[in-house]
Amino acid sequence: MIRINKSGYIYVGLTLIIGFAAVNTGNNLVYLIASALLSYMLISGVFGRHNLKGLDPRLRLPEEIFAGTETLIGVEMSCRRRFIPAFVVTVSIGDNDVVFPLIRPRCDELRYVPVQFEKRGRVSIPEIRMSSSYPLNFFTRYRTVTRDLELVVFPKLRRCEWR
């Protein structure tokens, strides 16, 4: 899935205006500028699409999770590529995000995201969403990985008095 950012709307609008100007004027220099803008957009799309390929996110859950207590969940990102690293990948678990600035090829990167569950019981994490606006922040590309993970959230911790 792709979402156009504000800078992308401006860039696409500018490209369309210059393209219409090239058609109306017949000036070769304006055609050259319009084609350069379109090729720049194409290259951005190719690199951006490739940025999320070959990445495999996994969650490292702690042994015990208590309701109402902030817990760190580990997000391990594996890059299965041979040569080209991945840049500026954001992983979302529910409403919580963690950013991987650089994921080297054939390496695993580990980051932690703070999560807090309000209620006790079984909680499922159905999907992990990866997104990246690399290379030019014109478009944000999303990829969803389904992971049917279930975890048990224990009751809220309370302070007890010793008598």
Side-chain angles (χ1 to χ4, degrees):
M1 186 169 86
I2 297 176
R3 187 188 65 157
I4 301 176
N5 298 336
K6 185 178 179 180
S7 60
Y9 280 118
I10 294 170
Y11 188 80
V12 169
L14 180 67
T15 304
L16 288 174
I17 290 171
I18 292 177
F20 285 132
V23 170
N24 288 332
T25 62
N27 189 343
N28 288 338
L29 181 61
V30 181
Y31 273 114
L32 186 66
I33 292 171
S35 64
L37 289 172
L38 287 172
S39 64
Y40 197 58
M41 192 183 315
L42 175 71
I43 290 172
S44 167
V46 169
F47 279 111
R49 182 175 177 181
H50 182 71
N51 195 44
L52 291 178
K53 283 188 176 182
L55 299 178
D56 185 32
R58 284 175 270 147
L59 297 182
R60 287 189 177 183
L61 301 172
E63 296 280 330
E64 298 174 339
I65 300 174
F66 295 97
T69 305
E70 193 172 88
T71 306
L72 294 176
I73 292 180
V75 179
E76 183 177 16
M77 187 69 77
S78 298
C79 185
R80 297 174 302 201
R81 299 184 203 162
R82 290 177 137 181
F83 303 111
I84 302 173
F87 299 99
V88 193
V89 176
T90 303
V91 178
S92 302
I93 303 169
D95 295 334
N96 304 309
D97 300 333
V98 62
V99 177
F100 291 87
L102 173 69
I103 305 169
R104 291 180 183 86
R106 295 185 181 177
C107 289
D108 297 338
E109 295 285 332
L110 179 64
R111 299 266 190 273
Y112 292 94
V113 58
V115 177
Q116 184 172 348
F117 299 101
E118 297 303 320
K119 295 183 179 180
R120 69 179 196 158
R122 290 181 183 250
V123 175
S124 67
I125 300 174
E127 63 186 21
I128 301 169
R129 177 178 252 183
M130 297 186 301
S131 64
S132 177
S133 59
Y134 176 80
L136 301 172
N137 198 23
F138 291 154
F139 308 100
T140 302
R141 288 151 189 87
Y142 294 94
R143 189 175 133 216
T144 303
V145 178
T146 55
R147 302 267 195 238
D148 288 328
L149 295 174
E150 275 201 8
L151 52 108
V152 177
V153 178
F154 294 111
K156 187 175 183 175
L157 293 173
R158 294 186 189 177
R159 182 173 291 263
C160 296
E161 292 184 24
W162 290 91
R163 294 184 185 201

